[in-house]
Structure formats: structure tokens, C-alpha cells
Amino acid sequence: MPPRPEAPAAPAAERPRVPRFTRAEHRVHRATATLMAVCVLTAGCLYLPFLAELVGRRALMVTVHEWSGILLPVPLLLGLGSRALRTDLTRLNRYGPHDRQWLRAALRRRGGRPAGKFNAGQKLYAAWIAGAVLVMLGTGLLMWFTDLAPLVWRTGATFVHDWLALAVVLVIAGHVGKAFGDPESRRGLRTGSVDAQWARREHPLWEHEDNTR
């Protein structure tokens, strides 16, 4: 008797899906990303001559840059009312042996990268960008309110602010590049759910975590 042909794989739209993010988390991410983009674009208009000439209205760019920077932490602070967001923040701040294994495998470009809901790379990115935003906010305030500190402090703040801004742009570019390389991850943030097969492959320890929402 000839072997039976294998059934074709189910279309992606028909595969089982698992919830990953709530609407509140989506809104916090969207608002934070929008404010960060405004900060980066207005900074470019202030520091890059060809953009400055193209856009003009330097005073307006300064004002928009300052207020978008001040408002940057607000979406996260408002989102703390969401239990799901608080739970995911706890996950992002919790490291285990599997995270070290993930980093070693990633550095050696090998498979076998165990991860919970967030992998070690996502945890490091979240921690780094949170610290960078706080430093940028502090140095920006020293630059904005010139009476807060003596000149030498403001000079140092300007140096740190400018070079850290460049580092932030590079790190965000890497983050966006990774996102474009993983359509299912982007779909999860946009729709709130991900393909179950993708979840088991990319985040095999997720189902063993505390999934209380």
C-alpha cells in the first residue's frame, strides 16, 4: 500500500495563536516609540546642517524636542495601571541561567537559545534604553534650565547628552532591524497574539512562566 501523502501545513492565519500583549501594552509601546521618533527627528534638525536648512524654524524644533523628551516616560508611567504591563516589567527585570545560555549562543551565532516570554537580548535592550532615557532626561534638563547648575556641569551634560543620543540612535536602529527580521514578533505587538509554533520555537520557556495577566 503506497504511503499516504502528508497533509499540507495549515495557513498561518489558521494556526493556533497565543496571547502575547494586551491593548494597554500596545498603546504604551506605540506612544513611547512615537515620542522617541520625534526626539530623534528634531535632534537631527538641530544638529545636521542639511536638515536644519531644509526644515528651518530652529526655535520650534527646540521646543518640540524638549517637550517630547520630557513626555517620554509618561506613557510607561500611565501604563503601570495595567497589571499585564507590570507583570511583563517583572519578567524583563528577571534574569536566569537560560539568559546566559541565550547570550552565549547568540554571540557564537548558534542555535539552542532558550528564552521565556522575553529573551536575554530583549531584556538587555529594555534595561539599556530605560537607563539611557533617564540620563538623557537629566542632562537635557540641565541644558534646558541653565540656572540649575554651574557652567562646567552644563558643559559636561551637553557632552554626555550628545554622545549618548548617537548611541541611542544606533541601538534603536538595531532594534528596528531585528523587528523587521521577525514578522511574527511585529505581528504579536500589533495584534496582541502570536503563532503558537513561533512561540514554542523562539520562546520555549514561556509556557512555564507565571502567565498571570
Side-chain angles (χ1 to χ4, degrees):
M1 183 176 179
R4 297 175 61 184
E6 296 183 2
E14 299 178 4
R15 295 174 187 168
R17 302 186 66 80
V18 293
R20 183 164 174 82
F21 295 114
T22 63
R23 184 174 299 177
E25 291 175 295
H26 169 76
R27 289 175 176 173
V28 168
H29 185 272
R30 176 71 60 86
T32 303
T34 299
L35 288 169
M36 183 66 78
V38 172
C39 282
V40 170
L41 291 174
T42 51
C45 293
L46 295 174
Y47 284 93
L48 300 178
F50 74 95
L51 283 179
E53 294 177 5
L54 180 65
V55 176
R57 308 189 68 178
R58 181 177 178 84
L60 176 61
M61 292 297 100
V62 170
T63 301
V64 173
H65 182 76
E66 290 170 342
W67 281 105
S68 59
I70 289 290
L71 294 174
L72 198 52
V74 172
L76 178 61
L77 295 176
L78 294 177
L80 291 177
S82 165
R83 183 181 180 187
L85 179 61
R86 296 197 304 271
T87 299
D88 279 349
L89 289 176
T90 300
R91 289 190 178 107
L92 285 168
N93 284 296
R94 184 179 296 157
Y95 293 83
H98 63 279
D99 293 309
R100 291 192 293 272
Q101 183 180 343
W102 190 98
L103 287 172
R104 285 195 298 267
L107 290 173
R108 296 170 184 173
R109 299 183 180 278
R110 296 179 179 175
R113 304 180 187 182
K117 183 174 183 178
F118 303 105
N119 61 46
Q122 292 167 329
K123 292 178 180 181
L124 289 177
Y125 171 80
W128 190 91
I129 204 70
V133 166
L134 291 177
V135 174
M136 294 289 285
L137 183 60
T139 54
L141 288 173
L142 289 177
M143 296 163 60
W144 188 0
F145 299 100
T146 56
D147 295 333
L148 289 179
L151 177 61
V152 64
W153 286 25
R154 298 199 306 272
T155 302
T158 302
F159 178 84
V160 171
H161 194 88
D162 291 351
W163 284 101
L164 184 56
L166 177 60
V168 167
V169 170
L170 294 176
V171 171
I172 290 177
H175 176 67
V176 172
K178 283 289 185 182
F180 272 97
D182 191 345
E184 189 60 33
S185 180
R186 297 200 316 274
R187 189 175 297 113
L189 190 58
R190 187 176 67 253
T191 67
S193 65
V194 292
D195 178 66
Q197 294 182 11
W198 177 89
R200 285 192 294 269
R201 182 180 70 252
E202 299 293 334
H203 301 269
L205 304 180
W206 180 11
E207 61 181 340
H208 302 297
E209 291 180 334
D210 179 12
N211 289 319
T212 303
R213 305 298 290 175

